[in-house]
């Protein structure tokens, strides 16, 4: 492959397209499906993932910071790009120069943007974010009436819509989701007369499990990347159509070594060989996103079989036990995430070993290794 690294993230862009099409097909015709491509598209590559979703018909993209929006615009994206985390006053010009769409959550930003739009004699379409139960970013719904009056007096500001975010949408039984919807509806009320007002409350969990709350725009992240927000329990029965992971991560065996029964392995000797063993040394560690908390818990796929990680994962190395896998040698493929033969390790399984969520696994592995894009499926 002419490669400069041992470690590769494979991203299948056709799978990203297929996931988008599947999710879109399950929405009412009138509901827009925004692709969340923040954090380099959850590790899948901002520009390439946005291109794939664009091919599948996506017109709305979401990123956290203005720098990501600028990058996407400069890569040729001509659709709507929402900036969810605002920006410093010095960076405000990018909203205008790069036609980025602000999501506003403070009066200070609202005034600044209104003033800048007026100075440029340019109408600026922006969205307002309300906090309806997440206790994170946003205006309080109690402020909605006064905000609506205020916005009506800003001649260069168009309110495109209102946004909020569920704290527990991955839990299909969460009573709190109904409270969030009640608060959001109360915030929408004073704005209801605005023609074409967009209401957007749903992330992947809301999109999948709260169809009555879809509004005009849903914002999908994890589902587009092939995972269900509550983990593998959300997957459909085998054979049923469903979302498919688009990322796999592979490395190569660097060396195979013999250790004697009782010998300690890696830093701190947190594992001692329980028999004479063979260890495959892998050139991947926590700086490559193979989290240290996976030490002594995870497994990799070598020769179509599971090889357990022994001892602590180091910064750039770790050891997999290949005693029961005959013939393993330097250069053999080792799969950290994905399929080999009839075995598979997905991000939910890794997340279980690391006591985290698929989101973090995808970001960690995807954003710390070189990516290779394919369109296989
Ligand atoms: C990240 C994010 C989403 C997408 O969440 P998923 O659970 O990945 O679908 C939606 N809305 C906002 C505001 C976000 O920050």
């Amino acid at each position: 492959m002419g490669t400069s690294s041992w470690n590769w993230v494979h991203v299948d862009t056709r799978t990203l397209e297929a996931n988008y099409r599947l999710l879109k097909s399950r929405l009412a015709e009138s509901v827009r499906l925004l692709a969340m491509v923040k954090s380099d598209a959850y590790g899948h590559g901002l520009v390439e993932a946005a291109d794939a979703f664009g091919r599948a018909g996506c017109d709305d993209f979401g990123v956290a910071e203005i720098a990501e929006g600028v990058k996407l615009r400069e890569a040729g994206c001509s659709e709507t790009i929402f900036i969810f985390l605002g920006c410093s006053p010095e960076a405000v010009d990018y909203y205008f120069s790069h036609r980025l769409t602000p999501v506003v959550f403070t009066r200070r930003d609202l005034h600044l943007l209104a003033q800048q739009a007026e100075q440029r004699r340019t109408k600026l379409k922006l969205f307002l974010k309300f906090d309806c139960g997440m206790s994170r970013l946003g205006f309080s719904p109690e402020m909605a009436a006064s905000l609506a009056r205020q916005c009506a007096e800003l001649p260069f500001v168009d309110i495109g819509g209102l946004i909020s975010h569920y704290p527990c949408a991955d839990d299909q039984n969460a009573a709190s989701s109904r409270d969030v919807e009640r608060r959001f509806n109360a915030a929408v009320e004073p704005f209801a007369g605005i023609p074409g007002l967009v209401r957007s409350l749903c992330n992947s969990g809301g999109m999948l499990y709260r169809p009555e709350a879809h509004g005009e725009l849903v914002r999908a992240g994890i589902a587009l990347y092939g995972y269900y927000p509550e983990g593998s329990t959300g997957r459909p029965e085998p054979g049923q159509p469903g979302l498919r992971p688009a990322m796999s991560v592979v490395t190569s065996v660097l060396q195979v070594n013999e250790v004697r029964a009782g010998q300690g392995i890696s830093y701190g000797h947190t594992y001692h060989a329980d028999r004479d063993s063979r260890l495959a040394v892998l050139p991947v560690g926590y700086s490559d996103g193979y989290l240290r908390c996976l030490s002594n818990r995870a497994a990799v796929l070598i020769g179509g079989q599971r090889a357990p990680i022994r001892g602590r994962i180091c910064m750039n190395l770790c050891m997999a036990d290949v005693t029961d896998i005959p013939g393993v040698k330097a250069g053999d493929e080792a799969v950290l995430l994905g399929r080999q033969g009839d075995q598979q390790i997905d991000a939910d399984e890794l997340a279980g070993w690391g006591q985290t969520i698929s989101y973090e696994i995808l970001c960690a592995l995807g954003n710390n290794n070189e990516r290779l894009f394919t369109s296989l499926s």
Side-chain angles (χ1 to χ4, degrees):
M1 258 183 263
T3 61
S4 52
S5 173
W6 296 113
N7 306 325
W8 289 93
V9 174
H10 293 272
V11 176
D12 186 347
T13 55
R14 288 269 177 83
T15 300
L16 295 177
E17 277 185 62
N19 287 339
Y20 188 93
R21 289 206 171 89
L22 178 69
L23 292 170
K24 183 77 173 88
S25 74
R26 290 179 179 174
L27 294 172
E29 197 77 50
S30 61
V31 181
R32 281 152 60 186
L33 174 54
L34 176 149
M36 269 294 176
V37 289
K38 63 192 181 199
S39 300
D40 236 337
Y42 293 42
H44 295 67
L46 169 66
V47 172
E48 292 82 356
D51 272 352
F53 299 137
R55 284 195 294 279
C58 184
D59 298 320
D60 296 284
F61 297 92
V63 293
E65 295 216 77
I66 211 139
E68 303 171 86
V70 168
K71 184 173 168 198
L72 192 53
R73 186 64 85 218
E74 291 184 350
C77 174
S78 58
E79 317 296 345
T80 306
I81 303 174
F82 290 76
I83 308 296
F84 277 87
L85 299 191
C87 70
S88 69
E90 299 78 57
V92 162
D93 190 53
Y94 285 114
Y95 286 120
F96 298 92
S97 62
H98 287 68
R99 293 173 293 108
L100 304 173
T101 301
V103 177
V104 176
F105 45 85
T106 68
R107 284 191 198 266
R108 196 194 67 153
D109 286 355
L110 180 60
H111 288 305
L112 182 63
L113 288 165
Q115 193 186 45
Q116 294 284 320
E118 186 156 5
Q119 260 174 30
R120 290 171 172 79
R121 305 266 137 204
T122 319
K123 276 255 184 191
L124 180 66
K125 184 184 270 196
L126 55 80
F127 286 68
L128 299 175
K129 175 127 178 204
F130 284 89
D131 190 298
C132 300
M134 179 75 175
S135 308
R136 200 172 67 173
L137 274 187
F139 294 109
S140 135
E142 283 76 51
M143 296 163 76
S146 80
L147 271 169
R149 279 195 300 276
Q150 207 177 356
C151 290
E153 286 163 13
L154 301 171
F156 287 90
V157 165
D158 270 342
I159 300 302
L162 307 184
I163 288 175
S164 191
H165 196 60
Y166 285 114
C168 310
D170 54 332
D171 175 356
Q172 299 183 41
N173 302 315
S176 73
S177 293
R178 271 183 296 284
D179 292 336
V180 170
E181 287 153 13
R182 269 196 291 277
R183 286 192 206 112
F184 187 58
N185 290 337
V188 167
E189 186 95 332
F191 294 89
I194 297 177
L197 186 82
V198 168
R199 296 163 300 163
S200 179
L201 180 55
C202 292
N203 52 5
S204 294
M207 173 183 60
L208 294 169
Y209 311 126
R210 308 200 67 80
E212 68 286 359
H214 281 176
E216 285 70 43
L217 177 80
V218 299
R219 313 181 304 268
I222 199 69
L224 289 173
Y225 304 103
Y227 288 89
Y228 289 80
E230 77 278 48
S232 51
T233 52
R235 293 207 165 274
E237 297 296 310
Q240 295 299 306
L243 304 167
R244 280 181 302 127
M247 184 194 293
S248 56
V249 183
V250 299
T251 186
S252 301
V253 174
L254 203 54
Q255 188 175 51
V256 179
N257 292 320
E258 314 256 336
V259 293
R260 291 253 159 237
Q263 211 167 311
I265 295 165
S266 192
Y267 288 121
H269 281 181
T270 57
Y271 187 87
H272 291 84
D274 55 0
R275 54 180 172 161
D276 290 352
S277 305
R278 273 182 310 122
L279 297 178
V281 182
L282 305 177
V284 62
Y286 55 80
S287 88
D288 309 298
Y290 204 56
L291 309 175
R292 190 170 177 273
C293 60
L294 297 167
S295 300
N296 288 312
R297 293 170 181 258
V300 301
L301 305 178
I302 300 177
Q305 294 187 52
R306 284 174 175 250
I309 297 295
R310 302 296 195 207
R312 288 219 175 110
I313 294 170
C314 310
M315 193 178 290
N316 301 104
L317 292 165
C318 63
M319 275 64 82
D321 189 337
V322 293
T323 315
D324 295 326
I325 310 175
V328 178
K329 57 187 186 314
D332 285 0
E333 177 192 75
V335 172
L336 310 175
L337 171 70
R339 238 174 222 297
Q340 195 188 55
D342 58 8
Q343 288 286 322
Q344 184 176 10
I345 292 169
D346 68 16
D348 288 320
E349 191 171 14
L350 279 160
W353 287 324
Q355 294 174 292
T356 179
I357 52 176
S358 59
Y359 300 63
E360 189 180 11
I361 297 291
L362 296 174
C363 289
L365 287 170
N367 287 332
N368 288 292
N369 295 289
E370 292 197 50
R371 296 189 193 96
L372 211 57
F373 296 92
T374 51
S375 48
L376 294 176
S377 46

